[in-house]
Amino acid sequence: MAIQSASPTPSMFRKKSTPVLNTAASYLSAVSEADARARAPRGTPNSTPALSLSSSVTSSSEDTVLHEREELNSDGLAYPKVPPTSEQVFTTVHAEFGHCANDSYRFTSRYNPARPLKAGEQDPPYYILLTTYISYILVILFGHLRDFFGKRFKATDYRHLLAHGGYAALNSDFDSFYTRRLKLRIDDCFSHPVTGVPGRTIVLLDRYSPNHNKSILLTGGKTRGLNVSSYNYLGFAQSKGACADASAESIRRYGISACGSRREGGTSDLHIQAEALVARFLGMEDSLISSMGFATNSTVIPALVSKGCLVISDELNHASIRFGVRLSGANVRMFKHNDVKSLEALLREVISQGQPKTHRPWKKILVIVEGLYSMEGTLVELPAIMELKKKYKFYLFIDEAHSIGAIGPHGRGVCDYYDVNPRDVDILMGTFTKSFGAAGGYIAGNRSLIDRIRLSGHAGAYAEAMAPPILTQVVASMASIMGVTLPRLDKPTSSTRSLLTRHSDSTLNVIAEEAPAWRGTALAAWLPTWMPTPQSMCDGSDSQMRLRRLAFNARYLNRALRKLGFITYGSADSPVVPLLLFHPGKMAVFSRLMRTRPTPIVVVVVAYPATSLVTSRVRFCLSASHTKEDIDTILVACDEIGDLLDLKQGVGERWPLQEIMARAVELVHMEES
């Protein structure tokens, strides 16, 4: 990265105004000069400075002290070549990963039995609920009036809703009413096109609508904003670094296309290595990887349960789980979200009553929960569920799409967070699209179960295998979290032999002898011999830094928003922080005001049917790539917009914004009452 001159608000974009420094001596001289200049007037900054972003980006412009060769991305924006280390003075602006040398801005994500798991969900004042319902009633009323008169006086505009030429209507006006009469009005805050790397910042493609959002056109301009909309929890979605280098090397060796389906012999050495590494990362006997996270649930659940079985599902489980249960043909019952008492009452009922009509015992009972609920930000109450599991003898399936890699002192998910042995859980499912910066999903469990799923699950027989670069990203990011144990010189290992973990009992014994304990490191023999393994990957220092920074950012934003008076859901340790908006008109206004600030902030607005009708919200998705100053920028924006839109309806002690920012470390480590 280029070291910049002292500037109160350095810009993300730069221009080349001086010759490039070609020699090492001139490079080091400029670094020393910039270091001395930065230290003299104001000391050493502890982190990347706050962003100062242009809202209309068409070229790169930034004055620097040290100028090095830069690579222009396809969007015309200049990206630095080499990020600085933690020993350098961080006076540069980082688009993908904000560096922070202040160890105070770190926290370890770990369950403390002495404090409550989560804060109770607050209800808004009655006038907020009343005005929200009135807003929906008015929208529905005027929408039906417009449909009534429109079908009679503007039939051409309603052609798709009316029978014509002997054909039935292509769409139902009742089913499409919400989309046409509410979502269309605020469609500019949904599905905004982006480009580039979804790191600390992201580039939006500017757009406008000439006909009230019926069609949205691109202007050709681009806006770079602070990104709190991506599930890039650990910041591994980078174009630079060890993971990117490993993926680039895999492209040179394997190409970029998928290896074919499993049935057609598409399983490669990378598949076997990745599955072995996933199993050891989770502390399970074996694992199966799939090329799509949604398909992992929807194709595996039918292989686990069938007619005569019962699935007990949390009422807020993901759509992929619901779809898989429907395909299985099993009976399904739901319990209140994250309510252990409701679950136990339901277990008592279904066990005592048995199957409907015949009252025969269930063939099996499978309880499905999520580790971290991405819409609510709540963590599953795993210790209490494990106690019920011992008492009622059901099978437990945990979907860790959002918790794996993001929760726990070692990044191993909710089992790590609660210090629960993963072998006590029957099935662990997760995806690689969030914390690992890749794609696809996995199922992990005992070896006999996984072998059965390989035979009876649809994903293995019909789905395409994962492409080599994606597999390499999974292996590299997971190994970075685990750390790598180098082979002993007195006991040579064979990487070829270690690949056959499921085909040879003798090999299994060798691997078991060499394998580290749960939460331990990965063996070098499990990694491709050609994959670069820098020191930060081997010792796990880089990933530990990322895990601790993510935990700090999550607790800081969650607790700070509550101290400002906002109503938020979920656990303080959740990297997903939902802020309740309630009123439908506030969704679009909040998104627009955040996006048009001096430092644009890109957020995700969520509404019905993803949430209940009156609990629309904005979700802040935090990352280890964010700095403390980035969180402060978000808090300043929320404080101003919250006053403007009357969003501060929470109860409890409130702190002024400046006090929150000054006491951030104390706020993070403070015990909840």
Side-chain angles (χ1 to χ4, degrees):
M1 280 278 184
I3 306 298
Q4 300 189 35
S5 59
S7 173
T9 56
S11 172
M12 180 65 67
F13 315 106
R14 65 184 64 192
K15 61 183 179 181
K16 300 176 183 178
S17 56
T18 59
V20 175
L21 302 177
N22 294 319
T23 66
S26 59
Y27 186 94
L28 293 177
S29 175
V31 170
S32 301
E33 179 180 338
D35 182 90
R37 183 161 38 251
R39 290 178 183 274
R42 57 179 182 178
T44 303
N46 289 324
S47 62
T48 304
L51 300 175
S52 177
L53 307 179
S54 170
S55 60
S56 181
V57 179
T58 55
S59 63
S60 60
S61 61
E62 182 175 357
D63 293 324
T64 63
V65 175
L66 176 64
H67 298 269
E68 58 185 358
R69 286 192 177 95
E70 299 167 343
E71 299 171 352
L72 286 179
N73 202 0
S74 58
D75 58 8
L77 307 179
Y79 293 95
K81 291 185 64 177
V82 183
T85 64
S86 58
E87 289 78 17
Q88 290 178 319
V89 180
F90 300 128
T91 57
T92 55
V93 174
H94 309 280
E96 295 183 11
F97 195 94
H99 294 272
C100 175
N102 191 337
D103 287 335
S104 299
Y105 302 148
R106 308 284 192 272
F107 188 78
T108 300
S109 172
R110 179 184 288 114
Y111 173 60
N112 182 0
R115 71 170 189 258
L117 179 63
K118 64 178 181 179
E121 295 181 356
Q122 298 183 23
D123 293 324
Y126 285 115
Y127 84 89
I128 294 292
L129 292 177
L130 180 61
T131 55
T132 301
Y133 279 116
I134 291 176
S135 299
Y136 280 110
I137 291 173
L138 290 176
V139 170
I140 293 172
L141 176 62
F142 283 103
H144 281 299
L145 287 175
R146 293 187 64 183
D147 283 353
F148 178 81
F149 290 106
K151 290 177 182 179
R152 287 156 178 78
F153 298 104
K154 289 187 176 182
T156 55
D157 294 342
Y158 291 83
R159 183 181 178 85
H160 62 294
L161 300 177
L162 299 173
H164 61 280
Y167 290 94
L170 186 61
N171 301 105
S172 167
D173 56 351
F174 178 81
D175 292 339
S176 64
F177 181 83
Y178 175 83
T179 303
R180 293 182 292 107
R181 292 306 178 199
L182 178 60
K183 182 178 180 296
L184 184 66
R185 296 173 179 270
I186 57 176
D187 221 17
D188 64 314
C189 68
F190 300 119
S191 305
H192 207 119
V194 298
T195 185
V197 178
R200 180 192 179 212
T201 67
I202 197 168
V203 176
L204 297 176
L205 302 181
D206 297 335
R207 59 182 185 172
Y208 74 100
S209 175
N211 50 10
H212 306 290
N213 292 336
K214 291 182 179 178
S215 60
I216 301 179
L217 308 177
L218 297 178
T219 65
K222 299 175 183 178
T223 298
R224 181 178 288 278
L226 182 62
N227 180 23
V228 283
S229 61
S230 301
Y231 295 136
N232 183 24
Y233 293 138
L234 293 183
F236 280 127
Q238 295 178 252
S239 61
K240 304 289 184 181
C243 294
D245 294 341
S247 297
E249 180 62 26
S250 74
I251 293 176
R252 286 190 286 268
R253 290 178 173 269
Y254 294 93
I256 60 175
S257 62
C259 299
S261 70
R262 295 294 186 84
R263 191 171 183 175
E264 297 170 352
T267 300
S268 67
D269 57 342
L270 278 176
H271 288 93
I272 301 176
Q273 285 173 317
E275 290 180 347
L277 192 63
V278 168
R280 194 61 62 181
F281 179 81
L282 298 170
M284 305 296 270
E285 289 185 4
D286 203 355
S287 70
L288 169 67
I289 60 176
S290 174
S291 57
M292 181 180 176
F294 189 99
T296 305
N297 275 333
S298 58
T299 59
V300 165
I301 292 177
L304 297 173
V305 291
S306 59
K307 185 177 181 180
C309 301
L310 175 66
V311 173
I312 299 179
S313 175
D314 189 291
E315 65 179 353
L316 297 184
N317 274 346
H318 192 262
S320 61
I321 297 175
R322 295 168 177 259
F323 187 67
V325 173
R326 291 194 187 103
L327 290 179
S328 70
N331 290 71
V332 58
R333 296 288 299 273
M334 292 190 294
F335 64 96
K336 293 182 180 179
H337 172 58
N338 220 20
D339 190 331
V340 178
K341 292 183 179 179
S342 173
L343 173 59
E344 183 172 16
L346 182 57
L347 284 167
R348 288 175 177 269
E349 176 190 342
V350 298
I351 292 175
S352 63
Q353 295 297 319
Q355 298 185 38
K357 298 182 180 180
T358 64
H359 298 289
R360 292 177 180 176
W362 299 100
K363 292 180 180 179
K364 72 179 75 167
I365 297 177
L366 178 66
V367 175
I368 304 181
V369 295
E370 294 188 37
L372 171 61
Y373 294 85
S374 61
M375 271 321 154
E376 307 296 317
T378 51
L379 291 169
V380 62
E381 297 187 18
L382 187 58
I385 292 181
M386 296 305 296
E387 291 299 321
L388 292 182
K389 186 177 187 297
K390 295 176 183 178
K391 184 177 181 180
Y392 294 100
K393 308 301 180 184
F394 55 79
Y395 293 99
L396 181 59
F397 182 113
I398 301 180
D399 180 337
E400 290 207 84
H402 289 268
S403 55
I404 191 66
I407 296 294
H410 307 90
R412 310 297 171 91
V414 291
C415 291
D416 186 25
Y417 179 80
Y418 289 109
D419 196 22
V420 172
N421 189 338
R423 296 292 178 94
D424 294 335
V425 179
D426 300 290
I427 305 161
L428 289 175
M429 176 271 172
T431 62
F432 304 120
T433 55
K434 279 77 177 179
S435 297
F436 305 103
Y442 66 82
I443 286 286
N446 62 60
R447 186 164 291 108
S448 60
L449 173 66
I450 299 301
D451 287 343
R452 178 63 182 175
I453 294 176
R454 293 182 196 280
L455 295 175
S456 56
H458 297 306
Y462 301 108
E464 285 293 322
M466 293 173 66
I470 300 176
L471 284 167
T472 306
Q473 173 74 17
V474 171
V475 171
S477 57
M478 194 166 286
S480 179
I481 297 174
M482 300 173 70
V484 181
T485 298
L486 300 178
R488 298 196 300 268
L489 297 178
D490 60 339
K491 190 175 183 180
T493 60
S494 170
S495 59
T496 303
R497 180 183 60 189
S498 69
L499 297 179
L500 307 177
T501 58
R502 288 186 301 276
H503 302 279
S504 170
D505 292 338
S506 60
T507 301
L508 288 174
N509 294 333
V510 171
I511 295 300
E513 292 175 0
E514 298 174 351
W518 177 49
R519 301 171 181 166
T521 59
L523 296 178
W526 296 348
L527 308 180
T529 56
W530 47 262
M531 193 179 81
T533 53
Q535 181 64 32
S536 61
M537 177 184 292
C538 292
D539 59 22
S541 59
D542 177 67
S543 293
Q544 277 299 313
M545 175 270 295
R546 293 172 186 256
L547 285 167
R548 299 188 68 211
R549 282 185 57 179
L550 173 63
F552 177 89
N553 292 341
R555 290 176 71 88
Y556 178 35
L557 180 61
N558 200 315
R559 292 186 168 184
L561 288 175
R562 292 178 184 177
K563 290 297 184 184
L564 285 175
F566 292 98
I567 297 178
T568 63
Y569 282 174
S571 168
D573 291 320
S574 168
V576 179
V577 183
L579 187 153
L580 275 293
L581 301 176
F582 299 106
H583 199 284
K586 295 179 182 179
M587 292 186 285
V589 177
F590 189 96
S591 176
R592 293 165 188 163
L593 290 177
M594 295 290 276
R595 196 169 61 242
T596 56
R597 293 185 63 80
T599 298
I601 302 175
V602 183
V603 299
V604 174
V605 174
V606 187
Y608 178 84
T611 68
S612 62
L613 192 65
V614 297
T615 59
S616 59
R617 65 200 64 178
V618 55
R619 287 189 307 166
F620 298 103
C621 302
L622 296 176
S623 170
S625 63
H626 294 131
T627 65
K628 192 262 184 184
E629 287 73 17
D630 294 337
I631 309 300
D632 290 341
T633 301
I634 298 170
L635 292 175
V636 171
C638 288
D639 186 53
E640 297 176 3
I641 298 174
D643 290 333
L644 180 64
L645 300 182
D646 191 24
L647 297 177
K648 298 180 179 180
Q649 303 298 337
V651 297
E653 181 186 9
R654 296 193 184 186
W655 292 6
L657 177 61
Q658 295 302 322
E659 182 179 357
I660 290 174
M661 296 166 61
R663 300 172 59 185
V665 177
E666 177 186 349
L667 185 63
V668 166
H669 290 270
M670 183 183 299
E671 296 292 341
E672 291 183 343
S673 58

